[in-house]
Amino acid sequence: YYEQVVGLVDGGADILMVETIFDTLNAKAALFAIGEYLEHAQVDLPVFVSGTLVDLSGRTLSGQTTEAFYASIRHSKPMCVGLNCALGAK
């Protein structure tokens, strides 16, 4: 994910968004790369995270509740965290 962060920032991105995350490990890998880049480049950009709930129980694909998902990523200090539902609108 580090290379993608470099490309986005070099291209003028002023927000970094990790989106449609259904697997927390992928989110954590992306957030780690963002943190590494921001520290290395000595810049401060807002980070947004959007997770995906995949079933009626309100859990991620890896089985986490929304609370557990947030607990897993809060160390990255995102400016905002959102959730969407893979089941579509009702």
Side-chain angles (χ1 to χ4, degrees), residues 5 8 10 12 20 27 30 34-35 38-39 43 47 51 55 61 63 76-77 79 81 83 85-86 89:
V5 175
L8 288 165
D10 286 352
T20 317
I34 290 170
L38 295 177
E39 184 178 325
V43 296
V47 177
D55 64 27
L61 184 62
S76 64
K77 299 180 181 169
M79 178 179 275
V81 177
L83 295 168
C85 181

Side-chain angles (χ1 to χ4, degrees), residues 21-26 52-55 59-65 68-69 72:
I21 297 300
F22 53 86
D23 181 7
T24 308
L25 289 177
N26 284 339
T52 300
L53 305 178
V54 296
D55 64 27
R59 294 177 180 263
T60 65
L61 184 62
S62 54
Q64 285 188 306
T65 63
F69 175 75
S72 296

